[in-house]
Amino acid sequence: MLRGRTALVTGASSGIGAATAAELAAAGCRLVLVGRDQRRLGEVAARTGGQALAAELTDPAGLDRVVTAARQVDLLVHCAGIGWAGDLPSMSAEQVEALTAVNLTAPMLLTSAVLPELRRRRGHVVFVSSIAVVGVRGEEVYAATKAGVRAFAESLRHLDGIGVTTVFPGAVRTPFFAGRDYDRRFPRMLTPEEVAAALVRGVQHERAEVFVPAWLAVPARIQGALPGLFRGLSKWFG
């Protein structure tokens, strides 16, 4: 399904994006790799044989360059994202706007711009969301942006001619956790490679949603069907 197809991956200079680039290259994809860090992006491109495109997705000029590069792609993978955790009143308006711009607005604008071509090519779009969509204390704005991504993806599924996969990882060892202690023994922290492998399998099997690890689908379903029970369990288990 993927061999010989062209994939554009955002956030490809590190973390899940870089790992996804490696997985897609191994599956036989041609790659267009988008990221902000030109040096690291070049290193990923050298390892995967991809084309590096350094661009800031929240800048109109940068977004335009990515849209132009994406017009001939069969697979659009949104891995770019930033996180923030802490006491909500201490979060500045600029930080709120930055999270919203990178995590939600940019994927919506990029997808919208290339959607006609993706549908013509019967392509596929992937969104990396987060299990934080269930609501996480100290990550209120981050959770809201990822929930918005989930709703956007779900709405796209009503359209003909396009496949849509949304990935919901748990805690992943990425720059988001740099300098932060992860003090839970369970669930363990994932590697970007584990998430990337699950993402590619999800595309190959045309799955609508992929939870990593798979058991995270259980609390997500409970939260959706029985929110009161979920809140009680969350307070009990932390």
Side-chain angles (χ1 to χ4, degrees):
M1 176 184 177
L2 292 175
R3 185 163 298 278
R5 306 194 81 183
T6 301
L8 185 145
V9 183
T10 71
S13 57
S14 66
I16 296 171
T20 297
E23 284 285 334
L24 289 172
C29 283
R30 296 184 293 267
L31 299 176
V32 179
L33 307 176
V34 178
R36 293 183 293 179
D37 188 317
Q38 190 162 10
R39 179 185 62 80
R40 290 194 298 182
L41 189 66
E43 292 171 353
V44 176
R47 292 197 302 269
T48 60
Q51 171 193 345
L53 175 57
E56 172 57 73
L57 291 170
T58 60
D59 173 66
L63 182 62
D64 284 346
R65 290 199 303 275
V66 177
V67 168
T68 299
R71 294 202 185 279
Q72 300 299 316
V73 304
D74 307 290
L75 175 63
L76 175 60
V77 187
H78 295 285
C79 293
I82 56 175
W84 193 95
D87 184 45
L88 182 59
S90 70
M91 190 176 191
S92 69
E94 290 76 14
Q95 289 169 318
V96 172
E97 291 169 356
L99 255 71
T100 305
V102 174
N103 295 356
L104 182 57
T105 305
M108 291 194 297
L109 291 176
L110 178 55
T111 302
S112 177
V114 302
L115 186 59
E117 183 66 15
L118 272 178
R119 295 179 73 186
R120 188 186 71 79
R121 299 171 71 91
R122 303 199 69 81
H124 202 104
V125 58
V126 180
F127 298 91
V128 176
S129 181
S130 168
I131 194 58
V133 296
V134 301
V136 178
R137 182 176 58 192
E139 298 180 14
E140 294 85 357
V141 176
Y142 175 76
T145 63
K146 292 300 186 178
V149 166
R150 185 183 199 179
F152 182 67
E154 191 62 38
S155 298
L156 287 178
R157 292 191 184 100
H158 293 284
L159 302 177
D160 295 328
I162 185 172
V164 181
T165 297
T166 311
V167 182
F168 302 91
V172 186
R173 197 174 302 282
T174 65
F176 178 49
F177 282 95
R180 295 175 56 196
D181 292 328
Y182 184 76
D183 55 5
R184 292 185 176 183
R185 287 186 295 175
F186 181 84
R188 67 176 179 81
M189 187 172 282
L190 302 163
T191 66
E193 290 74 19
E194 288 175 296
V195 179
L199 183 158
V200 172
R201 287 195 302 269
V203 173
Q204 290 171 327
H205 294 283
E206 298 184 344
R207 292 175 183 151
E209 294 188 336
V210 176
F211 290 84
V212 195
W215 65 263
L216 282 179
V218 175
R221 303 306 183 214
I222 292 174
Q223 191 269 345
L226 299 166
L229 174 62
F230 178 83
R231 283 192 293 271
L233 292 172
S234 295
K235 290 179 181 178
W236 182 264
F237 290 105

